[in-house]
Amino acid sequence: MANKRKVIITCAVTGAIHTPSMSPHLPVTPEEIAEAGIAAAEAGASILHLHARDPENGKPTQDPAIFERFLPRIKKATDAVINLTTGGSPHMTVEERMRPAMEFKPELASMNMGSINFGLFPMLNRYENLEYEWERAHLENSRDLVFKNTFADIEKAMTLGAKNGTRFECECYDIGHLYNLRNLMDRGIISGKVFVQSVFGILGGIGPHPEDVMHMRRTANRLFGDDYEWSVLGAGGNQMRIAAQAAAMGSHVRVGLEDSLWLSPGKLAKSNAAQVAKVREILEGLSFEVATPDEAREMLQLKGADQVGF
């Protein structure tokens, strides 16, 4: 009998896309982020992808002092791989965005593989009553926003990260991003097995159609062969459908309230752990096993939790 394939579940706990008025369940304070991360790990997530927010108003922040309030607590309570954002928010400079990854030297950090239009403004039609002043501006400003990730930005971040032994979750919002990554590999900016996170359904990137998922997989196979591990995330209502389709095609999966506030149509997810439990059910229904944190470390060639700076 063939060995069961191990699938890594990443949980992106809070992110910088959704705003607090959109869901009462979105973790905002360091305490909420810690609790949400620990519960997601207990539900089966082997990687926790973490952003921070200003505890007063929920605005995304890259202030290392805020990260410091939840990172040690999560590390103490779980053996999950900690993956820190270098995306921060599309409104920040690359230096600002790199601060937590530089200070805390995580095993894994996210890195976007190219600049894109990042349209959050359609959400304005869905949410009339936004509690904080910054929320409306955050959504409205995305009409005229390029989320900047130039080759120079990516090289700078990856070179800085490599000095600390941090590896990267290479976020690919479009097909061109796969080619950008291939170029970085060919030039030795990134080496070893790459971790490709394909993002579907952000306005400005590739869509969420099944053909889009297949196109991303075929192109990645052609460009990287056996030199990569593939993971997917579907934005909003596409989350579970894309996870199921791509898992059947050999992918790992990412869920969490960063990517979708929903558990099912019209039903808000009450926690990150609820989404982890749901995707785990899908994976086990497809006869896959969920990877442990140490199995994820081995697959992604990570340095180990004892090598981080927190």
Side-chain angles (χ1 to χ4, degrees), residues 58-119:
K59 192 175 183 181
T61 176
Q62 288 294 85
D63 181 354
I66 308 281
F67 281 84
E68 199 146 23
R69 288 169 59 185
F70 57 77
L71 287 176
R73 191 173 154 198
I74 293 173
K75 186 185 173 192
K76 190 176 175 190
T78 84
D79 63 343
V81 174
I82 304 292
N83 170 352
L84 292 187
T85 180
T86 70
S89 151
H91 304 275
M92 298 173 184
T93 66
V94 74
E95 285 77 13
E96 279 180 282
R97 286 161 42 191
M98 279 299 290
R99 280 176 68 201
M102 291 310 299
E103 180 146 335
F104 299 113
K105 305 174 177 55
E107 292 180 80
L108 203 54
S110 62
M111 190 69 225
N112 291 10
M113 289 294 109
S115 303
I116 60 164
N117 293 336
F118 205 94

Side-chain angles (χ1 to χ4, degrees), residues 11-265:
C11 184
V13 170
T14 186
I17 291 175
H18 297 116
T19 71
S21 299
M22 295 178 184
S23 170
H25 311 298
L26 185 72
V28 167
T29 67
E31 295 69 33
E32 288 167 351
I33 291 168
E35 281 163 22
I38 293 163
E42 285 168 355
S46 49
I47 300 176
L48 299 174
H49 175 62
L50 300 172
H51 289 239
R53 291 175 181 267
D54 181 327
E56 299 302 314
N57 60 13
K59 192 175 183 181
T61 176
Q62 288 294 85
D63 181 354
I66 308 281
F67 281 84
E68 199 146 23
R69 288 169 59 185
F70 57 77
L71 287 176
R73 191 173 154 198
I74 293 173
K75 186 185 173 192
K76 190 176 175 190
T78 84
D79 63 343
V81 174
I82 304 292
N83 170 352
L84 292 187
T85 180
T86 70
S89 151
H91 304 275
M92 298 173 184
T93 66
V94 74
E95 285 77 13
E96 279 180 282
R97 286 161 42 191
M98 279 299 290
R99 280 176 68 201
M102 291 310 299
E103 180 146 335
F104 299 113
K105 305 174 177 55
E107 292 180 80
L108 203 54
S110 62
M111 190 69 225
N112 291 10
M113 289 294 109
S115 303
I116 60 164
N117 293 336
F118 205 94
L120 305 177
F121 59 89
M123 290 198 236
L124 284 166
N125 303 330
R126 274 179 268 157
Y127 300 98
E128 283 171 25
N129 304 315
L130 296 170
E131 187 182 342
Y132 300 104
E133 213 171 287
W134 71 268
E135 294 178 283
R136 187 165 295 283
H138 171 79
L139 301 175
E140 185 57 61
N141 291 346
S142 72
R143 272 182 218 275
D144 193 27
L145 173 77
V146 174
F147 190 3
K148 176 179 164 291
N149 293 281
T150 64
F151 288 107
D153 292 342
I154 298 167
E155 285 172 33
K156 183 176 190 177
M158 285 192 159
T159 306
L160 289 169
K163 287 179 185 164
N164 294 331
T166 297
R167 292 189 62 76
F168 288 90
E169 171 199 23
C170 300
E171 298 201 5
C172 295
Y173 291 75
D174 224 329
I175 297 299
H177 292 183
L178 297 173
Y179 284 89
N180 293 351
L181 176 55
R182 181 69 256 180
N183 175 267
L184 292 158
M185 292 165 75
D186 291 343
R187 291 191 289 129
I189 308 289
I190 184 171
S191 58
K193 186 163 273 196
V194 294
F195 184 33
V196 174
Q197 184 74 254
S198 295
V199 183
F200 299 93
I202 293 286
L203 182 61
I206 198 167
H209 192 277
E211 289 290 343
D212 294 319
V213 180
M214 291 169 73
H215 183 33
M216 188 74 87
R217 178 59 157 170
R218 283 192 296 259
T219 307
N221 280 343
R222 192 173 70 246
L223 291 176
F224 311 127
D226 295 330
D227 292 338
Y228 81 115
E229 292 286 344
W230 185 44
S231 181
V232 300
L233 74 92
N238 306 297
Q239 186 179 64
M240 296 298 166
R241 282 193 297 276
I242 284 176
Q245 179 193 352
M249 295 163 63
S251 85
H252 305 290
V253 299
R254 178 172 129 172
V255 294
L257 297 186
E258 168 169 355
D259 304 334
S260 173
L261 296 173
W262 307 94
L263 193 62
S264 57

